[in-house]
Amino acid sequence: MEEQGDTVISEVEVPNYLEEYLNIAFNFFETEDYESSLDALCQGEELIEAIASQGGSVHPNYVICILNNLAATYRKLGDLSNAAAYLDASIQNCNNFKNNYTSLQNKVLGEKVKKGKFLCGAYLQLSQIYSEMGNKQEAAKQAKSALTHIQVALENTLKLCKAQLTTHKALISSTRIRKRVLNPQYNLLGSPHYLQNYETISKIKPVLEFLVTSECSANKPRSFKTNYREALGIQKENNWVVNFSTEELLELQFVSFEQLEPEFSIETEVTPKSVILKLLLVITTYFTTGKQIQLSAEQPFSRHSKKESHFWFKKAMKLCLQFLPTNSQISKQVRHKFSTLNKDIKSSKKIEKEIKKKVRSSRQLEFPVKNTMNSSNNRSHTSFLRRRQENTPSRLQSRSFLKSKDPEKSFKADCRSLSSQKKDKMPALDIFSKHC
């Protein structure tokens, strides 16, 4: 039991009170009355703290909603430090609640996908707050944390697809089950809803495999880009994806209990629209990571570099070219950042080459004696070789066939050695004295 004012609240009634506080705060937030919204949320926070101090328990999603909405309200009021603190607390509670799942059922996989998407967006929003506060290093760190959670969401969505396709295969392969399913009384496999569901899942599966692995097979034809767009239904230029921008995901929004606890089904996460939202979240994560790393690289004593940010911009650019239309807002943002960073890197490389050339030329001017010393050393080396050649025995003395008994062979050998000695300017009088 908890006393609030003159009334006594039981633990069973706590969710109703928290829902009421959330609704009141949301209405004030929509009318831009942020002070009143903050008062309602603070009352909800006090109620949760009072129940926790008495050993009671509240559903974790209520705690996540209160903390997240407090962060959004503080950001609207311009209090970035409190906004970062409350959003970080919301992320920590969501992480602890997410780790409770251990089984591999479809419902649990759907919960992991939902929590992964929420955590990815929260980390991106926290990164944006730290960037506005001027803490670029922490902003880059939080943006990198978002990468792991969106990867988890994609992997679990792919597991959902595979589980659905394996159940379909089991239904078809088993004769006993197929007879029951194809019974006109049930007619599961022949229903248009089931067939449409199966077609969409089989089309979306290769898209998810591409997003999870982040690389495509070399055996696929060149037309696979358009196939992916057709599978997601974003081939037309008048799609809602064209007007989507990264600011929509980086803006802190109010979260309700129903958004964190939807009624799960395979249609909620494995549909073209839900996969497109995950794709946009991946591109925004790559883009924000590259942007924050680029900003942190400009600060002194930074561990990051422009090449690292270029890597993430390049990944975002590849996905934009792969899936999105060229006239979409997010593609224009990524293309602009990527091209400007490319120009900066090329200009910095040119400057480095010019500096190296200047350093080399200055060293040659400072130490001109080294060249003369080298030339004198070369001359002394050549003179040493000449003296060594004069002291070495001649070819005539070294030939073994001079000891031969055949005079003709020895005479020919002597003639050859004579010609070689003329070139070397050595005396050859002893040769003729042998044959006279």
Side-chain angles (χ1 to χ4, degrees):
M1 305 287 286
E2 171 62 28
E3 292 186 6
Q4 185 172 3
D6 297 331
T7 60
V8 179
I9 302 172
S10 64
E11 193 174 341
V12 181
E13 297 174 343
V14 168
N16 297 329
Y17 277 93
L18 291 175
E19 282 282 349
E20 186 179 352
Y21 288 139
L22 287 170
N23 292 330
I24 292 168
F26 176 74
N27 293 329
F28 283 126
F29 191 87
E30 287 292 312
T31 57
E32 298 183 358
D33 189 358
Y34 302 121
E35 294 289 345
S36 302
S37 178
L38 185 63
D39 292 337
L41 291 170
C42 287
Q43 289 180 11
E45 184 187 11
E46 289 173 0
L47 178 59
I48 291 171
E49 288 176 353
I51 292 168
S53 64
Q54 294 181 2
S57 62
V58 183
H59 198 285
N61 282 340
Y62 282 115
V63 181
I64 294 166
C65 288
I66 292 288
L67 295 174
N68 182 85
N69 296 341
L70 278 167
T73 309
Y74 274 119
R75 188 178 182 184
K76 289 291 185 181
L77 291 170
D79 192 351
L80 296 178
S81 60
N82 272 327
Y86 276 103
L87 187 56
D88 189 27
S90 174
I91 289 169
Q92 296 303 322
N93 280 276
C94 190
N95 273 321
N96 296 332
F97 181 50
K98 182 172 175 283
N99 293 332
N100 293 330
Y101 298 121
T102 54
S103 63
L104 297 175
Q105 298 175 357
N106 282 354
K107 187 174 181 180
V108 175
L109 288 173
E111 293 287 338
K112 287 185 176 182
V113 172
K114 180 183 58 182
K115 295 291 182 183
K117 289 191 299 181
F118 174 78
L119 283 170
C120 178
Y123 274 114
L124 289 176
Q125 292 154 5
L126 186 59
S127 172
Q128 185 67 21
I129 292 172
Y130 278 123
S131 179
E132 292 176 6
M133 292 170 66
N135 194 350
K136 308 297 181 184
Q137 300 288 338
E138 191 65 27
K141 180 183 175 182
Q142 299 300 330
K144 284 184 177 180
S145 300
L147 291 168
T148 58
H149 292 286
I150 190 59
Q151 189 73 15
V152 168
L154 289 172
E155 287 173 0
N156 287 305
T157 310
L158 182 60
K159 286 179 183 178
L160 281 171
C161 275
K162 289 180 178 179
Q164 190 71 12
L165 292 174
T166 50
T167 52
H168 176 76
K169 189 177 180 180
L171 287 173
I172 292 176
S173 60
S174 176
T175 54
R176 185 168 59 86
I177 297 174
R178 191 171 65 247
K179 285 180 181 178
R180 290 185 63 186
V181 170
L182 290 174
N183 191 356
Q185 186 179 355
Y186 301 104
N187 197 14
L188 175 63
L189 295 177
S191 64
H193 177 71
Y194 182 84
L195 292 174
Q196 186 180 1
N197 226 0
Y198 175 73
E199 287 178 3
T200 54
I201 291 170
S202 57
K203 285 180 181 179
I204 285 169
K205 183 189 172 185
V207 178
L208 289 169
E209 287 175 346
F210 178 83
L211 291 174
V212 168
T213 57
S214 297
E215 56 184 8
C216 56
S217 175
N219 299 324
K220 289 186 178 181
R222 285 188 174 183
S223 61
F224 67 92
K225 294 182 182 179
T226 56
N227 292 337
Y228 283 165
R229 289 183 182 179
E230 288 174 1
L232 296 176
I234 52 177
Q235 189 69 17
K236 297 179 180 180
E237 293 187 355
N238 57 356
N239 202 288
W240 61 272
V241 183
V242 176
N243 299 321
F244 186 86
S245 63
T246 57
E247 286 78 11
E248 295 183 28
L249 290 173
L250 296 176
E251 185 68 26
L252 253 174
Q253 300 291 337
F254 242 66
V255 177
S256 63
F257 185 84
E258 289 78 14
Q259 287 177 338
L260 294 177
E261 283 288 325
E263 185 181 352
F264 174 75
S265 63
I266 196 71
E267 290 88 0
T268 56
E269 295 297 341
V270 191
T271 56
K273 188 173 181 179
S274 63
V275 175
I276 290 169
L277 285 171
K278 293 182 186 71
L279 169 67
L280 295 172
L281 198 57
V282 173
I283 295 171
T284 307
T285 307
Y286 289 159
F287 177 76
T288 308
T289 306
K291 181 182 176 182
Q292 299 302 337
I293 289 173
Q294 183 186 5
L295 292 172
S296 66
E298 295 173 357
Q299 291 185 338
F301 307 106
S302 176
R303 297 179 181 179
H304 304 290
S305 62
K306 287 186 178 180
K307 289 183 180 179
E308 190 180 356
S309 64
H310 181 267
F311 170 76
W312 293 112
F313 281 134
K314 190 175 181 180
K315 291 194 79 169
M317 189 69 189
K318 282 183 179 179
L319 287 180
C320 287
L321 293 173
Q322 191 85 14
F323 292 97
L324 303 182
T326 54
N327 61 341
S328 60
Q329 294 292 327
I330 192 167
S331 294
K332 291 176 182 178
Q333 287 176 330
V334 174
R335 200 183 306 118
H336 175 68
K337 276 284 183 183
F338 184 71
S339 59
T340 51
L341 190 61
N342 261 339
K343 290 177 183 177
D344 292 341
I345 291 173
K346 287 179 181 178
S347 62
S348 62
K349 284 182 179 179
K350 287 181 181 179
I351 291 167
E352 286 177 2
K353 286 181 180 179
E354 290 175 359
I355 290 169
K356 286 180 181 179
K357 285 181 181 179
K358 288 179 181 179
V359 169
R360 286 174 186 172
S361 61
S362 63
R363 283 178 181 175
Q364 290 176 0
L365 292 171
E366 286 177 3
F367 305 102
V369 185
K370 288 186 176 180
N371 295 328
T372 57
M373 290 295 290
N374 289 333
S375 61
S376 64
N377 287 333
N378 290 332
R379 289 173 188 170
S380 62
H381 184 66
T382 52
S383 62
F384 170 75
L385 289 175
R386 284 179 184 175
R387 286 197 300 272
R388 189 176 178 183
Q389 285 178 0
E390 289 174 1
N391 295 328
T392 52
S394 63
R395 293 183 184 178
L396 180 64
Q397 295 174 0
S398 63
R399 288 182 181 275
S400 61
F401 52 76
L402 288 177
K403 300 178 181 179
S404 176
K405 296 179 180 180
D406 193 355
E408 292 183 3
K409 288 183 179 180
S410 61
F411 180 73
K412 290 178 181 178
D414 294 338
C415 292
R416 286 194 217 99
S417 62
L418 178 63
S419 62
S420 64
Q421 283 181 356
K422 281 182 179 180
K423 292 178 182 178
D424 297 332
K425 297 181 181 180
M426 296 179 67
L429 296 174
D430 296 334
I431 299 172
F432 290 101
S433 63
K434 290 182 182 181
H435 300 285
C436 292

